[in-house]
């Protein structure tokens, strides 16, 4: 089934930043003011830079009157299900039936353990999640006599009293990607909530098929499971890729996902008020109109069957071209991004000829699609950094050439993905530097130690990559100093351009080196 017929829902996915709590709440309240249906926040209780998600949900619910709220998704290993059930029901009662429950099996296990949670394997996480759903649903079921009793492998509830019942049937949505989680979604959940950026082409159709089959085996209709999707993108005057273009392009692409993949809830990730307004004011009405018109045509066709059309003559399909090899089973097919050798700056921050190499791949080894997916994802993350870096250069050159004035520059910056609450070129560059630093921190603290432990032969490569991270951070400090000069005076543009040129040379060279050395070991060692 390509269209499950659900009503369309549109929402926002707001960062629960503790740095400026008023702004975080303000963006959430704005979602209601501009007509969105849902406000969601990620739930990472171990992240000190974030507000506690359940406290924030309560606060936002009290500041709003209509919009629904949900965690996207709740970190179950740090939220005991019996207590969580009563928290959700209580907030649903206090808000007049405006709460949905997103649930996840858990990730970032080092951080979860540091907060006192129990580390689980993927299989254990799925079983624990199923036990939690049973406990939550039983606690909400006040019509059944007797206490709640679940003697599970991970959770035990021994005679807990039922209640309170939520104000409305609270839907349970699962953040699921792997087959066991998708099967659980089909058996027990009310919705599937993945993030588009984490999916490969074809994953929505495959996930729907698994969910549908599991639902039918459990005696349910696949239509009982809503399909939701976290999305992100950029608004721009011309189309530059999926969800990167004018509002009309966005509307057509989302309508295609609704009609072709069964998605009925689109949740936009981002904290930019202007993007939210454009999404709500231009994209949402157009998607509703396109989907309604197509559904009306489908209903009319069912009432009046069209005469059979003649069989078309076979036509040879045009070859599909891609800049990256498809992630399929067999020989290793993920293509690292080559270093084109172009350098913008006369300075060199390291000697590239001294970079060590890891062990050569076994030419006879084969790789599953799952093994190759991690390397492909690393390339995709790096491509995002490359694309944003190119936009910084483009904007600098337009300002320098006098092609755009300050107002036009602000409009362009508003279409980019990494922004804060002021609209200047300096703030955009500052945001980019922060994201690069965060990416490197994740690699240094989690990713690289696992590579070194799984294959000591990668030690010299990992050591070099860590050293280059420190050098890049020094280059970022230079960008920061140039930003101060630029924001203080237009004469600082030359210094900023030189600093960004040096950052470009260092970062692009480093990303290519990292991909060359790590995409195959990631598959071979099974590191996600």
């Amino acid at each position: 089934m390509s269209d499950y017929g659900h009503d369309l829902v549109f929402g926002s996915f707001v960062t629960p930043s503790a740095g400026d709590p008023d702004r975080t709440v303000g963006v959430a309240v704005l979602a209601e003011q501009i007509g969105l249906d849902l406000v969601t926040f990620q739930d990472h209780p171990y992240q000190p830079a974030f507000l506690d998600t359940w406290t924030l949900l309560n606060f936002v619910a009290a500041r709003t009157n209509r919009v629904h709220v949900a965690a996207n998704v709740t970190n179950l290993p740090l939220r005991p299900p019996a207590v969580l059930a009563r928290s959700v029901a209580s907030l649903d009662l206090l808000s007049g039936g405006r709460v949905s429950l997103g649930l996840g099996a858990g990730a970032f296990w080092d951080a979860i353990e540091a907060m006192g949670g129990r580390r689980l394997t993927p299989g254990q996480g799925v079983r624990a999640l199923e036990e939690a759903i049973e406990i939550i649903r039983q606690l909400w079921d006040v019509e059944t006599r007797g206490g709640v009793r679940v003697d599970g492998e991970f959770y035990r509830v021994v005679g807990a009293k039922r209640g309170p019942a939520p104000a409305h049937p609270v839907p349970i949505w699962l953040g699921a990607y792997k087959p066991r989680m998708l099967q659980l979604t089909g058996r027990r959940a009310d919705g599937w909530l993945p993030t588009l950026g984490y999916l490969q082409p074809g994953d929505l159709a495959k996930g729907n098929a698994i969910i549908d089959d599991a639902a039918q085996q459990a005696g349910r209709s696949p239509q009982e499971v809503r399909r939701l999707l976290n999305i992100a993108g950029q608004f721009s005057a011309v189309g530059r890729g999926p969800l990167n273009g004018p509002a009309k392009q966005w509307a057509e692409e989302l309508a295609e996902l609704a009609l072709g993949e069964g998605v009925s809830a689109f949740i936009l990730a981002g904290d930019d008020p202007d993007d939210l307004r454009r999404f709500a004011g231009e994209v949402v009405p157009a998607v509703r109109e396109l989907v309604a018109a197509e559904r009306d045509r489908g209903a009319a066709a069912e009432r009046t069957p069209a005469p059979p059309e003649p069989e078309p003559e076979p036509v040879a399909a045009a070859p599909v071209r891609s800049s990256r090899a498809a992630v399929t089973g067999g020989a290793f097919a993920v293509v690292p991004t080559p270093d084109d050798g172009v350098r913008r700056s006369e300075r060199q921050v390291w000697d590239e000829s001294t970079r060590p190499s890891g062990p050569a791949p076994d030419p006879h080894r084969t790789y599953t699609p799952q093994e190759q997916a991690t390397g492909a994802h690393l390339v995709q993350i790096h491509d995002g950094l490359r694309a944003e870096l190119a936009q910084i250069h483009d904007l600098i050159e337009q300002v320098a050439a006098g092609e755009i004035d300050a107002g036009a520059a602000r409009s362009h910056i508003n279409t980019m993905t990494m922004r804060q609450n002021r609209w200047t070129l300096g703030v955009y560059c500052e945001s980019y530097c922060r994201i690069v630093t965060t990416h490197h921190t994740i690699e240094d603290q989690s990713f690289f130690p696992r590579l070194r432990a799984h294959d000591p032969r990668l030690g010299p490569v990992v050591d070099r990559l860590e050293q280059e991270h420190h050098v890049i951070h020094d280059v970022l400090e230079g960008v920061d100093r140039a930003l101060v000069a630029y924001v203080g005076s237009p004469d600082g543009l030359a210094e900023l351009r030189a600093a960004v040129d040096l950052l470009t040379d260092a970062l692009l060279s480093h990303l290519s080196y990292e991909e060359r050395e790590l995409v195959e070991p990631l598959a071979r060692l099974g590191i996600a």
Side-chain angles (χ1 to χ4, degrees), residues 188-408:
R188 302 298 306 273
D190 305 299
W192 176 31
L193 177 54
T195 295
L196 183 59
Y198 294 161
L199 298 174
Q200 299 293 327
D203 280 355
L204 281 173
K206 293 175 186 175
N208 280 333
I210 294 172
I211 291 170
D212 292 355
D213 183 61
Q216 290 168 342
Q217 291 186 28
R220 309 176 69 199
S221 167
Q223 289 177 284
E224 295 181 41
V225 184
R226 180 187 284 276
R227 320 302 157 111
L228 307 96
L229 191 63
N230 294 318
I231 61 171
Q234 300 176 32
F235 288 107
S236 55
V238 296
R240 298 173 180 170
L243 294 183
N244 188 340
K248 181 177 183 292
Q249 175 188 324
W250 278 59
E252 292 170 350
E253 292 176 3
L254 297 187
E256 183 177 348
L257 287 170
L259 297 165
E261 304 288 359
V263 179
S264 59
F266 297 97
I267 305 171
L268 178 63
D271 306 321
D272 179 3
D274 288 346
D275 275 0
L276 282 177
R277 291 188 183 95
R278 192 165 185 181
F279 180 66
E282 300 179 39
V283 177
V284 170
V287 176
R288 293 191 189 279
E289 182 177 349
L290 289 169
V291 172
E294 188 61 32
R295 286 175 173 175
D296 287 345
R297 279 193 290 269
E302 288 182 5
R303 291 191 297 269
T304 308
E309 296 183 1
E311 288 287 334
E313 294 187 10
V315 179
V320 178
R321 296 152 71 118
S322 174
S323 60
R324 296 279 191 273
V327 182
T328 58
F332 191 72
V334 180
V335 181
T337 306
D339 185 343
D340 60 11
V342 175
R343 299 293 181 262
R344 295 171 175 266
S345 174
E346 295 181 357
R347 290 182 57 194
Q348 291 186 344
V349 292
W350 50 53
D351 184 354
E352 296 176 4
S353 67
T354 62
R355 283 171 166 164
S357 295
D362 180 355
H364 303 294
R365 193 192 192 284
T366 60
Y367 305 81
T368 67
Q370 291 75 21
E371 288 174 327
Q372 300 195 55
T374 302
H377 186 51
L378 178 66
V379 174
Q380 291 169 355
I381 293 172
H382 287 179
D383 282 348
L385 293 175
R386 294 182 182 102
E388 295 287 356
L389 195 56
Q391 290 188 57
I392 292 177
H393 280 286
D394 182 60
L395 189 59
I396 289 174
E397 295 309 317
Q398 290 184 62
V399 172
E403 296 175 359
I404 57 175
D405 57 21

Side-chain angles (χ1 to χ4, degrees), residues 96-168:
R98 294 191 285 127
V99 180
S100 300
L101 177 56
L103 282 176
F108 305 104
W109 292 104
D110 290 344
I112 289 172
E113 274 194 319
M115 290 286 288
R118 176 183 174 184
R119 180 185 292 270
L120 302 177
T121 66
Q124 289 174 329
V126 176
R127 297 198 299 275
L129 179 54
E130 187 157 17
E131 291 177 9
I133 293 173
E134 178 65 23
I135 291 169
I136 291 168
R137 291 201 190 281
Q138 284 202 39
L139 279 164
W140 289 345
D141 179 13
V142 296
E143 301 300 322
T144 300
R145 296 173 61 86
V148 175
R149 295 186 179 275
V150 175
D151 187 9
E153 180 183 359
F154 304 95
Y155 301 111
R156 294 181 69 246
V157 179
V158 188
K161 295 184 182 298
R162 299 173 185 269
H168 85 300

